[in-house]
Amino acid sequence: MSDSTPSSRVQAATVKAVLESVNPTPGAPKPDPIFVGDDITRSFGGLVAVNVEHVEVQRGSITALIGPNGAGKTTFFNVITGFDPPNTGVWSFQGSSLAGTPAYKVAREGMVRTFQLTKVLNKLTVLENMRLGAQGQTGEGLFKALIPGLWRKQEQEITERALGMLDQFNLIHLKDEFAGALSGGQRKLLEMARAMMSNPTMLMLDEPMAGVNPALTQSLLEHIKELRESGITIFFVEHDMDMVRDISDWVIVMAQGSIIAEGPPNVVMRNTAVIDAYLGAHHDVALTESGESLTQPSVPLTQSEES
Amino acid sequence: MDWMTVFQNSFTQMIGVSAIIYCLAALGLNIQFGYAGLLNFGQAGFAAIGAYAIAVTVATLGLPLLLALALAIVGAVIFALILGIPTLRLRADYLAIVTIAAAEIIRQVARSVSLNDYLGGSDGITGKYAADWYALNPFPAGIDTALIRFSKNDLWVVLNGWVVVAIVVLLTWLLMRSPWGRVLKSIREDEDAVRSLGKNVYLYKMQALTLGGVIGAFAGVIFAVAAQSVQPDNYSTTLTFFAYAVLILGGAARVFGPVVGAMIFWFLLVFVGQALNNAVKAGYISTDILRTDQVGQVQFMLVGVGLMALMIFRPQGIFGDKKELALDER
């Protein structure tokens, strides 16, 4: 297929260099796509939430998916991970088609997601949450579960891996707490760590920074960069433009269900189509004489410029 | 007033056949509702399948009891599949509606006139359908002590019944400390999270529904064998709701919850009834206030008030952990 396998260490610099050569247009083909989607649509009644003609995600990259509220980013995530049935569309991951595949099989293929509204398992301890993430557990079969000898050793290994992961994510001191007792930011961390327990090839994060305090944000960013260093492809939805600028190799911009722009972060953020989508096409035009403003939802795109 | 009899009857019922039946029904619900979060309101239907499997196979067709037992299990599995296949992909409330209706369908079919020859209509089936098994009874006679009193046959039923309960409790304990149990509890908390981690949620829910249903069928089997008869109206929604009361009283998602819940429930129910009855007879309560034929109703009212008080002051049940319950309120 290609020269870089998921296990090989992909250097950030090379990914960036490779993506430099990609023409920054919507639906641009990538040299080594891990994910390819075509003609994906999803509508709710008359509202077309997602209408993506073509999209590719480069293997080993950190790809951001941005766009104003209601652009269809989360719905797109839901569709490609099997949580929401599309109206039309085909997509493949590492060459195998995933259209119509149930969510749990998508996860087993290596496309593991987190949720915008964190889904931790409240009445399980942090450690149990982590253990659940591990794949191929013998003890998860009804009959094998009855004989502890069959799964105890594996459980031990899983526990050690979980403890190591919790340590990395600074959650080790909370391992015996109920997950429901964690703060919002800690839940985000736990969800990400739990997703990592399932050894994903591509980790899909839906707004990983929402509700996380700035001190934690920095360490979270480091984690994400480290994940990429270990060969995992990251595909994430985010509103925080600082984060997008800081860590992403490639940015895909959606508005009203379609991809309107693509490119490296510095290129995309100067793109007029993107600025128009976020601020409205007339944002730099003087207010009308009557004093009414042409309203569009304000977005954090401007935050970085202000701060 | 005869306190001795009141206590003797109460303690006898605390470990008697009814306690065993409701304990088993609640143990099944514990797996479905307590651990997996499935709202099965049709446990009476599973119990009816168990009871009628015994009655029809042994009494009507004259086949051996062990075959009847196997048929009870197969019947419960099929019923669980019929209920689960269309509903388990949907939200929890749909299962609740479908199960309550399906259990009533079973009861109505069992008491229908057109099936009178096979299922005995509203009178059910009465007969010596466990004679061989009763013949195995090693007890020479019943017992009659200060605390408990059982006939020879009841003693044999109760002994075997508690052995079945012990096996089911052991099974639950083994399962719930395993990774399988962890997946089940996770499904109760958030299905989508479990799906996103590569687990086939639908399969686990089906397994939980089936397993709990088979345990419920055993409640019916014991009911039929102990009473030597089945009546369709014993398998109405009341059975299901009593089983839920037992489960919540003991504490859902606790291995011993249903056992202790069933014992307390039956002790209280019988104690209140017997005490009131005796008090009226002894003249402590004037017949202007309460007659003995009204005790049956008042007994349930008082136990109901008691359950309400429990929900207010100890909502987690006897064994539950209040800290866990508080997590829901976040």
Side-chain angles (χ1 to χ4, degrees):
Chain A
M1 217 158 59
S2 68
D3 52 349
S4 63
T5 58
S7 56
S8 71
R9 291 180 65 83
V10 183
Q11 292 302 314
T14 34
V15 175
K16 271 213 157 68
V18 166
L19 287 171
E20 291 274 289
S21 63
V22 173
N23 182 21
T25 53
K30 313 289 185 311
D32 179 18
I34 192 169
F35 177 89
V36 181
D38 277 295
D39 190 28
I40 300 171
T41 62
R42 174 71 171 118
S43 46
F44 301 102
L47 176 79
V48 180
V50 172
N51 181 15
V52 171
E53 274 174 30
H54 185 76
V55 63
E56 293 185 5
V57 175
Q58 170 73 10
R59 184 189 306 274
S61 69
I62 298 184
T63 301
L65 180 61
I66 66 169
N69 291 330
K73 307 181 296 289
T74 297
T75 310
F76 179 64
F77 258 38
N78 286 344
V79 167
I80 62 176
T81 51
F83 278 86
D84 200 2
N87 295 88
T88 65
V90 287
W91 60 97
S92 64
F93 180 67
Q94 304 198 92
S96 56
S97 170
L98 283 185
T101 309
Y104 77 94
K105 280 190 183 156
V106 172
R108 285 183 190 173
E109 291 281 326
M111 248 170 85
V112 179
R113 70 171 299 183
T114 66
F115 295 88
Q116 185 176 2
L117 300 167
T118 5
K119 292 186 185 294
V120 296
L121 310 160
N122 284 339
K123 287 184 201 165
L124 272 69
T125 64
V126 168
L127 188 57
E128 285 283 66
N129 264 268
M130 293 295 287
R131 284 179 180 141
L132 182 76
Q135 297 297 298
Q137 297 190 42
T138 316
E140 287 184 352
L142 175 56
F143 296 104
K144 285 178 181 160
L146 291 169
I147 308 159
L150 290 177
W151 46 263
R152 195 166 278 149
K153 192 164 161 284
Q154 191 189 27
E155 183 85 348
Q156 205 104 45
E157 289 162 11
I158 290 169
T159 307
E160 272 164 35
R161 205 153 67 81
L163 290 174
M165 198 82 76
L166 284 175
D167 198 27
Q168 264 185 37
F169 280 81
N170 296 328
L171 290 169
I172 192 79
H173 58 291
L174 297 166
K175 69 182 167 67
D176 297 322
E177 294 288 330
F178 283 128
L182 265 52
S183 75
Q186 288 167 334
R187 286 172 194 223
K188 285 272 175 197
L189 282 174
L190 174 60
E191 202 186 25
M192 205 187 293
R194 191 179 62 194
M196 285 306 299
M197 280 297 289
S198 56
N199 283 329
T201 316
M202 180 159 90
L203 185 60
M204 302 175 58
L205 307 168
D206 198 346
E207 296 200 24
M209 294 302 160
V212 178
N213 81 55
L216 214 57
T217 308
Q218 210 47 49
S219 81
L220 212 54
L221 288 182
E222 290 309 313
H223 278 308
I224 293 173
K225 283 181 190 168
E226 276 168 29
L227 295 181
R228 192 257 308 266
E229 293 299 315
S230 64
I232 294 171
T233 308
I234 313 276
F235 189 22
F236 73 103
V237 169
E238 187 52 66
H239 274 302
D240 182 337
M241 287 304 150
D242 282 337
M243 174 185 170
V244 171
R245 207 189 300 264
D246 186 15
I247 69 164
S248 51
D249 303 316
W250 193 260
V251 180
I252 297 174
V253 189
M254 278 180 82
Q256 291 168 353
S258 313
I259 295 178
I260 56 160
E262 265 192 54
N266 52 345
V267 175
V268 156
M269 288 186 193
R270 284 197 306 268
N271 184 314
T272 44
V274 176
I275 296 168
D276 288 351
Y278 268 95
L279 302 176
H282 307 287
H283 70 95
D284 50 356
V285 179
L287 297 179
T288 53
E289 302 229 330
S290 62
E292 286 168 8
S293 62
L294 291 152
T295 49
Q296 275 285 325
S298 71
V299 282
L301 187 70
T302 50
Q303 267 181 7
S304 55
E305 281 136 32
E306 286 161 7
S307 60
Chain B
M1 186 171 163
D2 188 2
W3 283 107
M4 282 308 289
T5 317
V6 172
F7 275 105
Q8 193 194 39
N9 283 332
S10 307
F11 280 115
T12 302
Q13 286 305 312
M14 188 172 100
I15 57 166
V17 178
S18 307
I20 292 168
I21 291 163
Y22 283 89
C23 177
L24 280 171
L27 278 165
L29 289 178
N30 197 23
I31 290 176
Q32 294 163 341
F33 172 72
Y35 291 103
L38 299 173
L39 272 174
N40 169 21
F41 279 126
Q43 195 68 331
F46 284 102
I49 286 171
Y52 273 92
I54 296 287
V56 173
T57 318
V58 181
T60 312
L61 302 174
L63 296 167
L65 189 66
L66 272 178
L67 178 72
L69 210 57
L71 286 176
I73 294 171
V74 171
V77 171
I78 292 171
F79 188 49
L81 292 177
I82 292 172
L83 291 180
I85 286 169
T87 53
L88 287 182
R89 286 185 206 278
L90 305 170
R91 261 189 3 235
D93 5 5
Y94 294 95
L95 182 71
I97 295 164
V98 169
T99 48
I100 201 167
E104 276 299 283
I105 290 171
I106 290 207
R107 186 172 70 90
Q108 296 295 346
V109 168
R111 74 203 303 280
S112 69
V113 177
S114 53
L115 292 173
N116 219 345
D117 293 343
Y118 307 99
L119 303 176
S122 58
D123 291 335
I125 306 170
T126 311
K128 290 256 173 269
Y129 33 74
D132 293 348
W133 179 77
Y134 276 111
L136 297 173
N137 188 350
F139 295 109
I143 53 166
D144 191 355
T145 68
L147 285 181
I148 48 170
R149 189 183 62 198
F150 285 115
S151 72
K152 183 184 158 188
N153 278 355
D154 279 352
L155 208 56
W156 184 227
V157 172
V158 166
L159 178 76
N160 282 275
W162 284 112
V163 169
V164 173
V165 169
I167 292 168
V168 173
V169 166
L170 180 70
L171 191 76
T172 311
W173 178 73
L174 278 172
L175 283 174
M176 293 313 156
R177 63 201 278 275
S178 76
W180 186 82
R182 179 165 62 222
V183 177
L184 222 56
K185 286 179 257 181
S186 305
I187 289 170
R188 177 191 67 200
E189 297 300 308
D190 197 316
E191 288 185 25
D192 281 346
V194 181
R195 264 190 207 106
S196 77
L197 295 168
K199 322 284 177 194
N200 186 353
V201 169
Y202 182 64
L203 176 74
Y204 283 96
K205 281 162 74 169
M206 189 60 97
Q207 287 176 340
L209 182 67
T210 310
L211 185 62
V214 169
I215 296 170
F218 270 91
V221 167
I222 291 180
F223 202 161
V225 169
Q228 295 277 301
S229 72
V230 284
Q231 265 100 39
D233 293 340
N234 284 336
Y235 303 94
S236 61
T237 46
T238 317
L239 189 150
T240 304
F241 291 128
F242 276 13
Y244 264 102
V246 160
L247 174 64
I248 288 160
L249 179 65
R254 289 288 178 274
V255 173
F256 280 102
V259 180
V260 174
M263 291 170 85
I264 294 176
F265 184 79
W266 280 98
F267 178 85
L268 282 180
L269 199 63
V270 176
F271 181 79
V272 169
Q274 294 272 321
L276 282 176
N277 223 341
N278 270 285
V280 175
K281 277 183 191 158
Y284 294 124
I285 299 175
S286 155
T287 45
D288 294 337
I289 298 170
L290 187 68
R291 295 191 310 272
T292 46
D293 58 330
Q294 294 167 327
V295 165
Q297 281 80 25
V298 175
Q299 167 192 20
F300 281 108
M301 289 178 202
L302 290 179
V303 171
V305 170
L307 285 173
M308 280 160 69
L310 179 93
M311 285 298 100
I312 293 165
F313 297 109
R314 200 172 166 79
Q316 70 274 35
I318 309 279
F319 278 117
D321 181 349
K322 196 155 197 179
K323 243 172 70 189
E324 270 188 34
L325 211 66
L327 294 174
D328 286 339
E329 284 149 25
R330 282 168 159 260

